[in-house]
Amino acid sequence: MSLPAIDTSYFTKFLVDLLNIASPTGFAEPAVAFVEKELSQYKQLELSRTRKGALVAKWKVENDLPPVALTAHVDTLGAVVKEIKSNGRLRLSRIGGIQWNTIETEGVWVFTSSGEKIRGSVLIDTASGHVHGAAGAETKRNDEHMEVRLDARTTNEKETRALGINVGDCVAFDPRVEVTNGFIRSRFLDDKACVANVVAAIKSMAEAGLSPARSVYFHISNYEEVGHGAAAGIPPEVAELVTVDMAVVGAGQESDEFHATLCVKDGGGPYHFGLNNKMRALAEKHNVPYKTDVYVFYGSDGEAFWSAGGDVALALIGPGIDASHNYERAHVDGLTATTNWIMAYLLAE
Ligand SMILES: [Zn+2]
């Protein structure tokens, strides 16, 4: 059986829209709700939420085969306000370890607890070349020296608090989405690209009148970047879990932006040999361009489930993302390969 066609322009629009919704870990609800709304049009799916806020979409089919699950995450790197400085600017506490040098001069939104949005940008505290000269380049980019300058009239702590800003407010960095020549360049393609892969696979199958070979749970995770997203929310009857998350591209890696990758081992150890081989066989059968790879500085939501006691066969697939956790880039070829691989898996007995 050949795989159903993918609507690439739908895929790209959905992904761009999702990338433009701020969703740092802990404040990912708008992105979860966006995916929920999109999936609500498929009557095949039974949608629910975990208490933690993750979205679970069950596509039930009538047979005796044990169900399977796929997980992908919508939460991203970000920050919260750690301190309101005496000059009215904000010191941040990072979420998920974003590197300061990658967001220097980036635009931000500060989301207050009362629902206000205040614009600003991230700067080093020795930003002006005319004030600090060479010292600006030498200042260490760290929690102490990086600050948010608000686009509001404030020169002290009191005035900043009067804007409604408090310690603990969410800070989201601009994604800077751009689509050119089949490349999608943006922050946080990790892991919104893979959420779009999952949604596109559901759409293609539903529109082709196809159903999965066994019941499936699609788990849209909201706490992955801090290590425990899928620790809860995968039902115990699930026999196999396929984590869909970005593949690591760069020096020494097999992965690239034009293939999907099966990760055999990452920082959390090896994945499940049997499910790995099933994924390889499906890729071969359906001519999905893929690589196998090992990621050193990487842990996945599937491993979070394993660590929490989940008893499943576990695999990790995903599109190659260049410069991950930095200014990321993907290509339509690797993204299409991933969507096809998901469909091949869903249709396989
Ligand atoms: Zn990820």
Short mmCIF file of all heavy atoms in Angstrom, two decimals, residues 73 190-191 224-225 245-246 298 325, ligand 1:
data_model
loop_
_atom_site.label_atom_id
_atom_site.label_comp_id
_atom_site.label_asym_id
_atom_site.label_seq_id
_atom_site.Cartn_x
_atom_site.Cartn_y
_atom_site.Cartn_z
N HIS A 73 6.50 17.38 21.44
CA HIS A 73 6.26 18.43 22.44
C HIS A 73 6.11 19.83 21.83
O HIS A 73 6.80 20.17 20.87
CB HIS A 73 7.34 18.43 23.53
CG HIS A 73 8.73 18.78 23.09
ND1 HIS A 73 9.24 20.05 23.20
CD2 HIS A 73 9.73 18.03 22.58
CE1 HIS A 73 10.50 20.06 22.78
NE2 HIS A 73 10.82 18.85 22.38
N ASP A 190 12.43 22.67 17.21
CA ASP A 190 12.42 21.68 18.30
C ASP A 190 11.36 22.12 19.28
O ASP A 190 11.58 23.08 20.02
CB ASP A 190 13.80 21.61 18.94
CG ASP A 190 13.83 20.79 20.20
OD1 ASP A 190 12.88 20.03 20.44
OD2 ASP A 190 14.83 20.90 20.96
N ASP A 191 10.20 21.50 19.36
CA ASP A 191 9.84 20.32 18.63
C ASP A 191 8.55 20.58 17.84
O ASP A 191 7.81 19.67 17.53
CB ASP A 191 9.67 19.17 19.63
CG ASP A 191 9.45 17.83 18.97
OD1 ASP A 191 9.92 17.62 17.85
OD2 ASP A 191 8.76 16.99 19.57
N GLU A 224 8.53 18.97 28.07
CA GLU A 224 9.67 18.18 27.62
C GLU A 224 11.01 18.84 27.88
O GLU A 224 11.98 18.19 28.27
CB GLU A 224 9.54 17.88 26.12
CG GLU A 224 10.51 16.80 25.62
CD GLU A 224 11.89 17.32 25.26
OE1 GLU A 224 12.10 18.54 25.16
OE2 GLU A 224 12.81 16.48 25.08
N GLU A 225 11.07 20.16 27.66
CA GLU A 225 12.38 20.84 27.72
C GLU A 225 12.99 20.85 29.13
O GLU A 225 14.15 21.19 29.28
CB GLU A 225 12.27 22.28 27.18
CG GLU A 225 12.05 22.35 25.66
CD GLU A 225 13.26 21.88 24.81
OE1 GLU A 225 14.29 21.50 25.39
OE2 GLU A 225 13.14 21.90 23.58
N ASP A 245 10.89 13.66 17.67
CA ASP A 245 11.61 14.86 18.10
C ASP A 245 12.80 15.07 17.16
O ASP A 245 13.21 14.15 16.45
CB ASP A 245 12.07 14.69 19.56
CG ASP A 245 12.22 16.03 20.29
OD1 ASP A 245 12.41 17.06 19.60
OD2 ASP A 245 12.16 16.04 21.53
N MET A 246 13.32 16.27 17.16
CA MET A 246 14.35 16.68 16.20
C MET A 246 15.58 15.79 16.21
O MET A 246 15.99 15.27 17.24
CB MET A 246 14.78 18.11 16.50
CG MET A 246 15.16 18.32 17.95
SD MET A 246 16.57 19.42 18.21
CE MET A 246 17.94 18.45 17.67
N TYR A 298 21.60 14.97 24.68
CA TYR A 298 20.20 14.85 24.25
C TYR A 298 19.50 13.85 25.15
O TYR A 298 20.05 12.81 25.49
CB TYR A 298 20.20 14.32 22.81
CG TYR A 298 18.89 14.44 22.04
CD1 TYR A 298 18.77 15.36 21.00
CD2 TYR A 298 17.81 13.60 22.31
CE1 TYR A 298 17.60 15.45 20.26
CE2 TYR A 298 16.63 13.70 21.57
CZ TYR A 298 16.54 14.61 20.54
OH TYR A 298 15.39 14.71 19.80
N HIS A 325 18.60 24.33 19.43
CA HIS A 325 18.62 25.19 20.63
C HIS A 325 19.38 26.49 20.36
O HIS A 325 19.84 27.15 21.29
CB HIS A 325 19.18 24.46 21.86
CG HIS A 325 18.17 23.52 22.49
ND1 HIS A 325 18.33 22.96 23.74
CD2 HIS A 325 16.99 23.05 22.03
CE1 HIS A 325 17.28 22.20 24.02
NE2 HIS A 325 16.46 22.24 22.99
ZN ZN B 1 12.76 18.46 21.57
#
